[in-house]
Amino acid sequence: MRRKEANSHKRRRMSNRNLSDKYFYVGEHETVTGIRLTQYNETTIHTREIKTTDTFNKLVDTNYMNWFQVSGLTDAEAITRIVQDFGLHNLDAKDILTPQHVVKIEEYESRLLIILNSCYYDANTEIRTEHISILVAGDTVITFTESSNPVFEATYKALESNMLSIRKKGSGLLLAFLLNTIIANIVESVTKVEEMLEDIEETLLDIKNSQENMGSLIQQRRHEYMIIRKNSQPLKEQFSKLLRSENGIISSDILPVYNDLADQLSFIIQSSESCREIISSLVDLYISNNDLRMNAIMKRLTIVSTLFIPLTFLVGVWGMNFKFMPELDWRYGYIIAWSIMVICGVITWLYMKKKDWY
Amino acid sequence: MRRKEANSHKRRRMSNRNLSDKYFYVGEHETVTGIRLTQYNETTIHTREIKTTDTFNKLVDTNYMNWFQVSGLTDAEAITRIVQDFGLHNLDAKDILTPQHVVKIEEYESRLLIILNSCYYDANTEIRTEHISILVAGDTVITFTESSNPVFEATYKALESNMLSIRKKGSGLLLAFLLNTIIANIVESVTKVEEMLEDIEETLLDIKNSQENMGSLIQQRRHEYMIIRKNSQPLKEQFSKLLRSENGIISSDILPVYNDLADQLSFIIQSSESCREIISSLVDLYISNNDLRMNAIMKRLTIVSTLFIPLTFLVGVWGMNFKFMPELDWRYGYIIAWSIMVICGVITWLYMKKKDWY
Amino acid sequence: MRRKEANSHKRRRMSNRNLSDKYFYVGEHETVTGIRLTQYNETTIHTREIKTTDTFNKLVDTNYMNWFQVSGLTDAEAITRIVQDFGLHNLDAKDILTPQHVVKIEEYESRLLIILNSCYYDANTEIRTEHISILVAGDTVITFTESSNPVFEATYKALESNMLSIRKKGSGLLLAFLLNTIIANIVESVTKVEEMLEDIEETLLDIKNSQENMGSLIQQRRHEYMIIRKNSQPLKEQFSKLLRSENGIISSDILPVYNDLADQLSFIIQSSESCREIISSLVDLYISNNDLRMNAIMKRLTIVSTLFIPLTFLVGVWGMNFKFMPELDWRYGYIIAWSIMVICGVITWLYMKKKDWY
Amino acid sequence: MRRKEANSHKRRRMSNRNLSDKYFYVGEHETVTGIRLTQYNETTIHTREIKTTDTFNKLVDTNYMNWFQVSGLTDAEAITRIVQDFGLHNLDAKDILTPQHVVKIEEYESRLLIILNSCYYDANTEIRTEHISILVAGDTVITFTESSNPVFEATYKALESNMLSIRKKGSGLLLAFLLNTIIANIVESVTKVEEMLEDIEETLLDIKNSQENMGSLIQQRRHEYMIIRKNSQPLKEQFSKLLRSENGIISSDILPVYNDLADQLSFIIQSSESCREIISSLVDLYISNNDLRMNAIMKRLTIVSTLFIPLTFLVGVWGMNFKFMPELDWRYGYIIAWSIMVICGVITWLYMKKKDWY
Amino acid sequence: MRRKEANSHKRRRMSNRNLSDKYFYVGEHETVTGIRLTQYNETTIHTREIKTTDTFNKLVDTNYMNWFQVSGLTDAEAITRIVQDFGLHNLDAKDILTPQHVVKIEEYESRLLIILNSCYYDANTEIRTEHISILVAGDTVITFTESSNPVFEATYKALESNMLSIRKKGSGLLLAFLLNTIIANIVESVTKVEEMLEDIEETLLDIKNSQENMGSLIQQRRHEYMIIRKNSQPLKEQFSKLLRSENGIISSDILPVYNDLADQLSFIIQSSESCREIISSLVDLYISNNDLRMNAIMKRLTIVSTLFIPLTFLVGVWGMNFKFMPELDWRYGYIIAWSIMVICGVITWLYMKKKDWY
């Protein structure tokens, strides 16, 4: 059901394909665009909702760090205007509005645009992705999220408690906190996939466990692994751009934080590589388990058949209606017959035990 | 039928193999060569059909941007002449005339030759490729298409409505619009393949669905995926040439448009990579489904056999014609026999339930 | 038979392994070495057979381009002498005489040695390879072929008709024509393999087709694909050496011809990559077809067994010889028995139709 | 059991995900943090336990080499303090405290931080990993281990016996001894995996051997191989940083020791690559063994059925109750019947011997 | 047996793991160390056995080229001394004494140390590897072999006959001859594996051939291929070091010989790559052959069952003991029964012929 729905949305995918003066949001969330502006410096921090019709760069107060949180992308017009207000091209608005857009980190003079996707498991342990864009222009940071999920709640709390003296540092550290939240979500997702795969492995390793729908389960995990890899691999590749960047956003004193993010990305890549291998080995295991089960079924059929088919032949012989079948008239014929059959059965049984019953 | 026909054409493939003074069109389209010249500047735009016998570089008016649309490649002689008129080598005409030619982007001094293939799904959802060449020489752009399909209709409309001020900019933006049309077609194709693969996956995930010809369906999708990858992979590789090019065709103000095209190509590559993995996992799933089905069939056979073969033996025993079989004469012999058989059956059933009937 | 023979030759493979003063031809062709010298300039062209005992560099006429065609490598002594006459090392003669030698393009000062293998399908559509070496030293070109097959006939005809003014240009264009012939052969081979693979695919896609020896056929195609790839892959890798070469053999006016050759090599690589994928998917298809067929067989067996085994049990029951079996004496007992059996059969049938007969 | 437990620990994995002022140990060992300081120079060596509340850089005596051995990471606060005392960032303490952290070798001015995992087989031949960190700052070396396992016992003994004049050389040689111990453990592990795989291969190669749980065994080995590869691959990649390092820790006279370590890492990579291939070939072998076994089972069933089903039909014929069945009344009818059946059986047998009994 | 023995040796593998002042030979050969010194110049050549207790660098006569042939590595002390006499590190002796050491080519100032493994098939066509080390120091060449196998006999003969004027040239050409011998052995091995694989392929391609232990055979070949690849791949990678070396050992006039060696290594790599693909295709073929055989077995079972099970039912019907079964009393009942059964059989047969008997 849920899946179907997701599909119907998906079919609208990449409809921002043609060059145009104007682009639309083509994702599945219907959240109304809301903008929250947080301004802080070493001493103060205050937050307020602003209207989508404001002129955004006028709201910037240079005595503060300014963080615009745009949640909901339905108001494409406003988003295009923000992007233009901070000196970016129309086409960058298109990237922000297109959830299927590839991960990219782009630098324009003193501006930095990061387009990526976060992955997380929702309450029903279904994987979800959210298209997130971050624009850094001097002391202003703008985050764009598709929904009103509180993804950056942790960052806001860090600002309030002035963790790591974040309020003393520039936009670089704020960016680091934002990225850390997103990357931590992906780390959590990949760890969850790995754990679920290990659970499947445990089930498959003991062939006596019911393996009813293991095939579909493996497939589902593979699906999730692919979503994670698709969103993290290019991020890892692009991340070095950030480290090499010379626009002053990432100063040397906050470099360790970025190195830590790079390590977390390496962890994701290694884990997802690990997932890939585990999945491929689970498929092998699953297939060979099916084969073993088949072998067991056939063995049983063969045993029953080998045991009874010759005996049934024998009783058929003595059920024939020939006039002259001397053994039929013997006093102990019936007992002898039974004896022969039992002996036959036992011999077959022993023979099978010796040869087949490995 | 259609396929057969396609094959017969294919057999003529690459017959422009030998070096020669003269090359022929070796594709399957039989469209008669027609040329349409569109001339525009900021204020005017007019279009007319021209004859294939004209001297093409004489038609160029330097007050305008000149766009020659050559549709149909059957008149190889005219095409060779155009190519030479704009200062390219004879062998470039060969590339334009050879639909099997590899994708390439070549730069000669101030000229740019792009040879590529567009992919799209036709009305019968069969994938089609069209060999397209674009030659840019200063203010002149020449497009060569195999058929008279209106591939560049969207671009013409953009010219008419002067979208993104295209008529003010040079040949670089026109080229971007042309490439965008082609790349958008490929994006659409790859998205369609991915969707069709997900439909197959949905069918395969529930083993109760009929999976009659899933094997062939997967194979067909793989075929289409391969066509798309074959045409997009090298385009992606060559595209960076365009971005690094220093011939002034791509000025810095239209660079964002080209970056956007590069992003779309990345999207295609990532999606087709994704397709590759999905296909490989579908094959695994399909094979293991077949195994499961086989297991189910054999289980049924085994159950029926295990249940009835011993019973048939028993009735055979009591059908024997021995003179002295006391139980045959018992008053309740028949009922006892039935009881024994029922008990046998039930025990076997319970045994199977406990052991096999996982 | 043919294969066996080929094998026995193969067993002599690489016997030029030890360093030595003298090497021998270790291939399978027994063609007696013949040498044809073609001399041409813009106005004249003449050809004659020369003796293997001549001093070759004395025969060179600097007023002409000189093309030595050496066919048959059995006279190893003469070939070693030619190589030395034109200033190469003894070990180069070894490479020319060793058909199993790896593809290589080597440049020595103003000399160029190309060692490669051509692939073609013979009249029996069996793939054949021919070891070909080309030595270019200034205005002299020497070709070495294992057999007297007229591989370079097309080039000779091009010389006669002075195609592309070949007789006005230096050895670079002659070399291009020679390479073009060889590469065109490989293009043709790879295209043929691809076509044959598509024929196999068409057969496999409809499971109703006889698939008697498809397994062997796929294997054979794979074999051929591997031969082509083995000979083209390293050629592609080495070819760039030629383009970057600065020895003046490849002048800028004939560069387009070499670019065209590079494109053809790219085409080969792409096609052979494509073959690799098709083969792997055909193997999947073939295996899953076998499984489907197996499933069909087992289904039939299961149906027959499930239908008749219970009925046979029933008739066995009424064939028992108990004294007191009331139903045997009933007037309509026999008809009732038949009715029961028919009903049993029909129910089983319907049950199977509902459950198994997917 | 053990596995379950390991899992429950694993679920706490990477909980140091958020940026913070303070990090915790998130591994599964509960060893209380103990610190041993070994100080040595050419003439003396003495060792003592120190308190976790000391100021560590005050304990450093510049007349000696100082080696702090920290075992047990539960006292995260102390570890953070050590790291800061020797001039590293807070986030480096996080890496030391996070057993799931990726392998890394990082250089900061004159400091060197190495984060890696050792692999070894415990007494129950279960693979174990231990997160080990080494910090080198001038003449001070600090090792961090999760447990109090005597991993560096060998190094301590080498110090005591002044092997390779280790006490004359700087921290570079001490580091080499430490790394050598760790790498030797991994070498031993990979060698053990390879041996166990060869044992499995030997079992699988003779199909007569019991192959009861070979599938699970292969899977288990694959698991271990993946752990080793995951921990050694990135170490190998990072190791070159050490060799290229210019901070004076690795002086030219101890370079051969580091080259030897690099060789051992190459050995590990080659062996683990080898394991990968063996595993994949064992899976093939295992699957085809299952198929062979299945074939054998089915062959037996087919033989028994083919032999007896026609005979059972025959005796059924003569068990029919038709009034007029002349053969039933013949004197030798019964013997003739037996003869016919024996002949039938023998012919079937011979036929099968000729055709099936390959 | 042989295998077992090899294994027990293997278990001592890499026991030179710890850093130490002293290393031991850890291979399986027990050959007593013998040293043969060959001294030659353009005019003379003489050979003598020398004692392992000599001071080796004192034996060097600068008027001659000096070639020490050390066979048997059991006297680790002597070998360590040689290595030190010629100015190498203790750890290089360890590499020479460790047969499991990775292939490496190392250059130290004017010294060159080559550690590699030769592969060859012994008389029982079992693959063997021999650990060989070559040390070149100016005019002195020292070869270390594990056994007293006459591996370098050919080189000695070349010296005696002064082939390619080897006695006039320096140590570079001697080294080339030595390497050529080793590489030629590997070429021969890889060629043999490829031939054996083609023999297996020929057997598998005709399904009528007995394929008794093809699975194990393929596995064995795969094992051998892996040994060859493991020893040749890194040699190929390291070989370029030799060609780029600038220590004067490889002078430009003997460069062609080294290029030829590089070509042979390329040949090995290409062939082993080819082996890899053949093996993977043989596994496919083997598995699908097993499937085909299974299909054939099941088809036979199905035919027999489908033919006789309904007939057995019929005769069971007429064997029932109902009082009123009119057909039993008919004059021609028995004949009619037979007719019905024959007709049933024939119809079933024809039906199967039409549908199943593909």
Side-chain angles (χ1 to χ4, degrees), chain B residues 10 17 19 21 94 101 104 216 219 222 229 294 298 300 308 318-321 328-329 334, chain C residues 163-164 180 194 198 201 205 260 263 277 281 284 294-295 298 302 309 321 323 325 327 356:
Chain B
K10 195 188 56 204
R17 265 193 312 271
L19 288 174
D21 297 311
K94 172 185 158 186
H101 198 275
K104 78 170 186 184
S216 309
Q219 191 65 9
R222 170 134 64 173
R229 213 205 39 160
M294 183 74 158
M298 295 312 298
R300 252 172 262 129
F308 284 103
W318 290 311
M320 293 194 296
N321 296 321
L328 295 186
D329 300 325
Y334 184 45
Chain C
M163 193 184 286
L164 296 182
N180 187 70
E194 220 176 343
E198 279 169 13
E201 193 184 9
L205 274 180
D260 185 63
D263 283 354
E277 289 214 26
S281 82
D284 284 353
M294 183 74 156
N295 276 6
M298 295 313 297
T302 303
I309 285 179
N321 296 320
K323 279 269 156 57
M325 293 176 67
E327 67 265 44
D356 319 347

Side-chain angles (χ1 to χ4, degrees), chain A residues 164-181:
Chain A
L164 295 182
S165 321
I166 179 172
R167 272 150 55 184
K168 262 202 326 222
K169 309 276 170 76
S171 52
L173 193 54
L174 177 56
L175 177 61
F177 267 86
L178 296 170
L179 288 175
N180 187 69
T181 307

Side-chain angles (χ1 to χ4, degrees), chain B residues 122-135:
Chain B
D122 66 8
N124 308 315
T125 58
E126 283 196 57
I127 204 158
R128 299 248 155 234
T129 62
E130 176 145 12
H131 185 64
I132 296 176
S133 314
I134 304 174
L135 168 58

